[in-house]
Amino acid sequence: MRDAMTQPAGKVIAGNWKMHHGPAATLDFFRTFQLQESPGHTSVILFPPAVSFAAARQGIGKSRGVSLGVQNIHWEPKGAFTGELSAEMAAEAGASFALVGHSERRHGFGETDAETRLKVEAALRAGLAPILCVGETLEERTGGQMEAVVIRQLDAVLSVAGGTLQRSGREGAGPALLIAYEPVWAIGTGRTATPEDAAEAHALIRARLAVALGNSVARSTKVLYGGSVKPENAAELLASQDVDGLLVGGASLDPVSFAQIVAAAG
Ligand code: PGA
């Protein structure tokens, strides 16, 4: 296992590029972003497509405060899994974080709770900090299922990864799990959760973390909000109770708007 990781400092602003920005567009992004970017105490994480990783590392250069992550991992360290990449390889290529259970993986590629659990374990084993994405669909929300869905998705991971996380929380060092609450109805739809919606779900997540991992780990675990975050709504979402950062999709593709969101975190 690589060196143990602790929770990132300050507010966390993460940009999930999804299947956008090949190597040339990645270099272009950093030409502008470096000029704008001043993260201060904010932790900035970008999730480029894996083929753009080398370009992203080159683009980041020596600028401090920007880390990289991968959008998905397989749970095995290596093997005959065409098209997949392992947590160990991602770490070797310079990743510090891995998204796990993004709704596009769950709903577009049939990823199950059992698979998210394996992926979180694999990330921790390789020294990557997993960002576990949870969130309900519109149908689940209107059917009064928000709490049950979020708790099911969390518990699938906490029941197994709990021991490792509790230990590292007690010792103040060790692999860190972050959570992103991303209501599916707010992703890429332009429809953002209100600060009250976000605060309600984040409080639920924090309470569940406390039951599974104890109060001190729960307090220090970063819980991000994601879903149609833009420069115009970033500050009010960040001001909501229990929102420790943002996971930004579309608005992270443009270096100017992403820098504005970073600036909103202070
Ligand atoms: P969006 O995506 O900001 O484009 O809604 C967020 C995400 O999917 O992480």
Side-chain angles (χ1 to χ4, degrees), residues 197-210 223 241-243:
D197 291 334
E200 183 195 3
H202 283 230
L204 173 77
I205 291 167
R206 189 89 63 199
R208 201 64 182 181
L209 288 169
V223 184
Q241 185 76 22
D242 278 317
V243 174

Side-chain angles (χ1 to χ4, degrees), residues 16 18 99 102-104 182 186-190 226-229 247-251:
N16 172 15
K18 310 188 181 185
L99 290 180
H102 189 278
S103 68
E104 286 150 19
E182 297 205 302
I187 295 180
T189 57
S228 295
V229 174
L247 179 53
V248 187

Side-chain angles (χ1 to χ4, degrees), residues 39-64:
H41 292 301
T42 306
S43 295
V44 179
I45 312 166
L46 280 167
F47 293 86
V51 291
S52 299
F53 235 72
R57 286 188 72 178
Q58 190 186 328
I60 290 170
K62 295 196 179 3
S63 73
R64 294 174 340 139

Side-chain angles (χ1 to χ4, degrees), residues 32-261:
T32 308
F33 187 66
Q34 282 204 329
L35 299 174
Q36 307 269 340
E37 162 265 298
S38 62
H41 292 301
T42 306
S43 295
V44 179
I45 312 166
L46 280 167
F47 293 86
V51 291
S52 299
F53 235 72
R57 286 188 72 178
Q58 190 186 328
I60 290 170
K62 295 196 179 3
S63 73
R64 294 174 340 139
V66 183
S67 309
L68 290 175
V70 284
Q71 298 173 13
N72 183 34
I73 49 171
H74 194 274
W75 52 87
E76 292 292 341
K78 62 183 175 188
F81 302 102
T82 302
E84 296 289 325
L85 57 94
S86 72
E88 284 78 2
M89 290 168 184
E92 187 187 335
S96 306
F97 296 86
L99 290 180
V100 174
H102 189 278
S103 68
E104 286 150 19
R105 301 296 320 168
R106 292 180 190 267
H107 299 291
F109 296 90
E111 190 166 305
T112 64
D113 285 331
E115 287 168 347
T116 63
R117 188 188 72 219
L118 290 170
K119 290 180 180 196
V120 164
E121 288 181 308
L124 295 172
R125 182 186 69 218
L128 297 182
I131 303 185
L132 175 71
C133 304
V134 298
E136 79 289 359
T137 63
L138 184 58
E139 208 181 8
E140 288 163 341
R141 168 161 282 250
T142 50
Q145 294 294 301
M146 183 277 271
E147 292 197 6
V149 170
V150 168
I151 286 177
R152 191 201 75 226
Q153 292 172 341
L154 271 181
D155 282 359
V157 165
L158 296 178
S159 59
V160 171
T164 315
L165 295 164
Q166 238 163 2
R167 220 167 22 253
S168 64
R170 266 201 310 274
E171 289 158 11
L177 170 72
L178 291 77
I179 309 291
Y181 171 62
E182 297 205 302
V184 181
W185 45 272
I187 295 180
T189 57
R191 190 173 159 189
T192 319
T194 62
E196 294 73 32
D197 291 334
E200 183 195 3
H202 283 230
L204 173 77
I205 291 167
R206 189 89 63 199
R208 201 64 182 181
L209 288 169
V211 170
L213 306 175
N215 280 329
S216 95
V217 179
R219 263 198 309 274
S220 65
T221 299
K222 304 283 180 181
V223 184
L224 319 184
Y225 168 79
S228 295
V229 174
K230 300 182 270 298
E232 302 76 50
N233 58 23
E236 68 167 357
L237 286 163
L238 283 166
S240 324
Q241 185 76 22
D242 278 317
V243 174
D244 303 314
L246 302 169
L247 179 53
V248 187
S252 71
L253 293 172
D254 173 38
V256 175
S257 65
F258 190 57
Q260 286 167 348
I261 294 171

